[in-house]
Amino acid sequence: MAIISNGTTIADAGAFSASLGAMTLIKTLTASDSANLSFVHGSSSVVFDSTYPIYMFKLINIHPASDNVQLMHNGSIDAGSNYNVAATTTTFEGESAEGGGNGTLNYITGHDHAQGTGGKKLTYNCGNDNDQSLSGELMMFNPSSSTFVKHFLAKVSNSHNGNYEKNTYTAGYYNTTSDIDAFKFFYSSGNIGSGTIKLYGIKDS
């Protein structure tokens, strides 16, 4: 069924349904003062292998237990025994003050990783006022490829602890041809107080 205005198709319900059907919810994790939220292939019904060429993590109202902290991620090639895969990343952001003004668009050199094995930043200066949180998504491409490095793209809307809105975009690759079979999210300090992360698999189009 199509929705038509003035003879022009503006939405096709069949195509829309097919598009939605390409995404499969794999796992939902909800934080409750948690050190991290980790997705490990083969554990607790998590699928993170060649079943899907693209995986998407949806971050929903992630609230830190501590103030002024960075949300980070890292991958594992040994089912979560170690999260230390080297990666190269790049980041830019837009921000605006809650009271208006001070709008900027910046390339954030301090977020760059040049084959760093520690946590990779998704955003920073996360506030933990009762009404502050962050939401966003991260896409990982072919995590089980034995030929290519593992590219990812992320975008996050964050309530800065200084009452700013930060819209942060990050891209990069995990520099390994081994399977990335586990993935975790965590703060640079303190726990994830609350929030939900959903993992989806996206089929070939």
Side-chain angles (χ1 to χ4, degrees):
M1 180 183 69
I3 301 172
I4 299 174
S5 176
N6 294 328
T8 302
T9 301
I10 58 176
D12 187 289
F16 186 60
S17 298
S19 176
L20 289 178
M23 289 183 63
T24 300
L25 177 61
I26 297 170
K27 187 71 177 180
T28 299
L29 296 180
T30 300
S32 180
D33 200 27
S34 307
N36 60 74
L37 292 180
S38 301
F39 297 81
V40 181
H41 175 68
S43 175
S44 302
S45 303
V46 172
V47 175
F48 200 64
D49 62 1
S50 60
T51 302
Y52 300 95
I54 303 172
Y55 289 85
M56 177 180 286
F57 297 92
K58 292 281 190 179
L59 290 70
I60 304 166
N61 291 334
I62 307 300
H63 177 77
S66 302
D67 193 39
N68 194 22
V69 290
Q70 286 64 252
L71 183 67
M72 313 181 92
H73 63 90
N74 214 333
S76 172
I77 61 173
D78 52 16
S81 295
N82 297 281
Y83 287 92
N84 57 1
V85 183
T88 292
T89 69
T90 184
T91 300
F92 73 92
E93 69 169 19
E95 69 176 21
S96 180
E98 189 173 285
N102 298 318
T104 61
L105 180 65
N106 298 309
Y107 168 57
I108 311 300
T109 57
H111 279 210
D112 287 351
H113 286 265
Q115 294 305 285
T117 58
K120 289 72 178 166
K121 296 176 183 176
L122 284 173
T123 190
Y124 64 102
N125 300 123
C126 302
N128 77 332
D129 290 353
N130 290 337
D131 64 346
Q132 291 180 318
S133 67
L134 67 84
S135 295
E137 61 187 33
L138 182 148
M139 297 179 69
M140 173 71 72
F141 301 87
N142 289 320
S144 60
S145 172
S146 60
T147 303
F148 299 113
V149 299
K150 313 306 188 294
H151 290 275
F152 66 87
L153 295 169
K155 56 182 177 180
V156 174
S157 173
N158 171 42
S159 299
H160 183 280
N161 74 316
N163 296 321
Y164 281 76
E165 157 62 14
K166 282 188 176 290
N167 188 11
T168 307
Y169 291 80
T170 303
Y173 61 86
Y174 281 92
N175 193 15
T176 180
T177 56
S178 298
D179 292 1
I180 290 184
D181 54 10
F183 206 81
K184 77 172 181 178
F185 297 87
F186 57 100
Y187 277 109
S188 55
S189 178
N191 291 343
I192 303 174
S194 61
T196 299
I197 300 180
K198 292 178 175 285
L199 172 62
Y200 293 86
I202 302 177
K203 298 177 182 178
D204 288 318
S205 59

